[in-house]
Amino acid sequence: MMLEVVGQFGTGLPPPTRYALSDTLLKHEVERTKNLLKKTEQEWKDDGCSIMTDAWSDRKRRSIMNLCVNSKMGIGALPRFKKLLDQAKKLTIFIYAHHKTLAMMRSYTNKREIIQPGVTIFASAFLILQSLAEKKEQLRHMFSSTEWEECKFSSTPKGIASYKTVSRVQFWSGVTQCLKVFSPLVKVLRMVDADWKPSMGFVYGEIKVAKEEIITSLGGNEKAYKPIIDIINKKMKGRLDSSLHLTSYLLNSYYHYKDLQLQYDPDIMNTILDFFDTLLCDNFEMQRQVVTIDLPKYKKKVDRFSCDLAIKNCRVNDAEFDPGNSFYF
């Protein structure tokens, strides 16, 4: 379907053959992926990593399993976050490891669970912290109750450690701080994982928003936010900052109509010109129409781009908004 749509723009981009897709191009992509992993694999050798599985079933009930590697290249492995996440993990494991402690937890939380699986390990960690924060008072009551004192696990090393974790003010303030940092990124993960609308036109813009929210949540302290932003930028480089992502970003009226300065960013504009040069290869007339006529109208919000319905239609990024249909009535 994608190739058919591209073909409607002209004959400048011939579709690859089935052989090329299944052999030549596939091998090329495998090699490209291996090259991208080389730097990360060296980090695994130096600092170690964890091998994890992520399994589910598709709509046809076929079993699918991903093998995932978790290492210090994730944000949650930064020292200030890792310590807190380890404490939260140990607390959760302790509660779920024994029938007695699990029953106590469910009693105090009205049968609300702590563990909530997410689309990624990062999202799962966020959901556990969020769940703990929501049950903060119930957990503190549980660990200060007579029932806990009489529980045989209260005097074990892990029980004592769990009690100290729940009782510690620094732990809960750390949870709050973690959630402020992780929340913007989880929003992006949920958006790209959702099936309710295409996310290509929103990926670059929402990651940009997420970075701004993280900086704000850390009070603009560069020493605090820079390591996080650096990790995000490294993850984006060569993956989520392609010409397709940047073009979709500018042509998404949800962002452009809020910030008209986007059109003056030389990196974005140069990328867009390269994108149309590639997409409309050998079709100079169409390139001229798009670059010199249609794009300037969009940037200046004239003709159909200036009507009230077009402007109001893109003020809210909800389930109804589709940037591809914003100006067709």
Side-chain angles (χ1 to χ4, degrees):
M1 182 180 292
M2 180 189 73
L3 293 176
E4 291 176 357
V5 173
V6 173
Q8 293 175 7
F9 287 88
T11 59
L13 185 64
T17 63
R18 290 183 60 187
Y19 172 78
L21 285 171
S22 62
D23 188 270
T24 308
L25 293 177
L26 179 60
K27 289 179 179 178
H28 175 76
E29 186 64 19
V30 169
E31 289 303 313
R32 188 184 74 87
T33 303
K34 286 181 178 179
N35 288 331
L36 289 173
L37 284 173
K38 284 183 178 178
K39 184 178 179 181
T40 305
E41 288 174 344
Q42 183 58 50
E43 187 270 335
W44 298 345
K45 293 179 182 179
D46 295 338
D47 301 307
C49 63
S50 298
I51 305 297
M52 302 167 293
T53 59
D54 182 18
W56 72 96
S57 299
D58 63 11
R59 293 178 180 178
K60 294 183 179 180
R61 295 186 177 181
R62 294 175 295 189
S63 297
I64 301 173
M65 177 179 289
N66 281 345
L67 290 176
C68 310
V69 180
N70 187 33
S71 67
K72 289 180 67 177
M73 296 292 282
I75 292 173
L78 290 173
R80 55 178 163 154
F81 297 129
K82 186 178 186 303
K83 181 179 179 181
L84 183 83
L85 289 171
D86 285 345
Q87 290 175 337
K89 180 180 178 181
K90 289 177 181 177
L91 170 63
T92 305
I93 291 175
F94 171 75
I95 291 175
Y96 277 82
H98 311 287
H99 291 296
K100 177 63 176 179
T101 53
L102 181 58
M104 286 176 62
M105 183 274 291
R106 288 173 174 168
S107 174
Y108 277 85
T109 62
N110 293 322
K111 297 183 179 181
R112 295 166 61 205
E113 301 291 337
I114 293 176
I115 295 178
Q116 299 181 40
V119 64
T120 65
I121 299 299
F122 175 80
S124 295
F126 168 84
L127 292 173
I128 289 176
L129 289 182
Q130 187 180 59
S131 182
L132 287 172
E134 292 172 352
K135 301 169 182 64
K136 172 183 174 181
E137 294 305 319
Q138 294 96 320
L139 289 172
R140 294 180 78 170
H141 289 156
M142 168 183 159
F143 279 93
S144 61
S145 67
T146 302
E147 186 178 4
W148 167 250
E149 292 179 356
E150 294 174 351
C151 176
K152 65 179 181 180
F153 299 109
S154 64
S155 58
T156 64
K158 292 182 180 179
I160 294 172
S162 297
Y163 170 80
K164 290 181 177 179
T165 296
V166 173
S167 304
R168 194 176 294 123
V169 174
Q170 293 88 341
F171 171 75
W172 294 110
S173 61
V175 169
T176 300
Q177 189 65 63
C178 264
L179 291 176
K180 287 181 179 179
V181 173
F182 290 176
S183 181
L185 295 174
V186 172
K187 289 179 184 177
V188 179
L189 289 175
R190 284 173 171 165
M191 178 195 69
V192 298
D193 188 54
D195 295 327
W196 46 279
K197 72 174 181 178
S199 60
M200 174 60 75
F202 297 93
V203 173
Y204 188 87
E206 289 307 296
I207 292 180
K208 184 177 179 181
V209 171
K211 290 192 288 187
E212 292 170 352
E213 290 180 356
I214 289 172
I215 292 173
T216 300
S217 71
L218 295 174
N221 184 342
E222 184 176 1
K223 186 177 180 180
Y225 72 70
K226 190 176 185 302
I228 301 170
I229 301 301
D230 286 345
I231 290 175
I232 296 173
N233 289 337
K234 286 180 182 178
K235 293 292 185 181
M236 289 183 65
K237 189 66 174 178
R239 300 179 182 91
L240 302 177
D241 58 356
S242 68
S243 58
L244 185 58
H245 288 95
L246 289 177
T247 301
S248 300
Y249 172 54
L250 179 68
L251 296 183
N252 188 335
S253 53
Y254 174 72
Y255 303 110
H256 180 255
Y257 277 28
K258 285 183 176 181
D259 182 9
L260 296 180
Q261 297 303 309
L262 295 180
Q263 59 184 293
Y264 301 114
D265 186 321
D267 292 332
I268 292 178
M269 292 312 303
N270 289 336
T271 299
I272 287 178
L273 294 177
D274 290 340
F275 173 79
F276 285 119
D277 183 49
T278 302
L279 182 66
L280 305 175
C281 178
D282 298 328
N283 193 338
F284 177 76
E285 188 59 34
M286 182 64 77
Q287 286 186 42
R288 187 189 67 82
Q289 172 71 30
V290 172
V291 174
T292 65
I293 300 176
D294 294 335
L295 188 57
K297 286 182 179 180
Y298 168 69
K299 289 160 62 176
K300 295 177 181 178
K301 293 198 292 188
V302 298
D303 291 349
R304 65 181 177 182
F305 301 115
S306 66
C307 68
D308 289 341
L309 184 57
I311 294 174
K312 293 178 181 179
N313 189 37
C314 60
R315 287 180 177 172
V316 179
N317 180 14
D318 56 18
E320 304 299 322
F321 176 65
D322 181 356
N325 297 323
S326 299
F327 308 106
Y328 298 94
F329 315 116

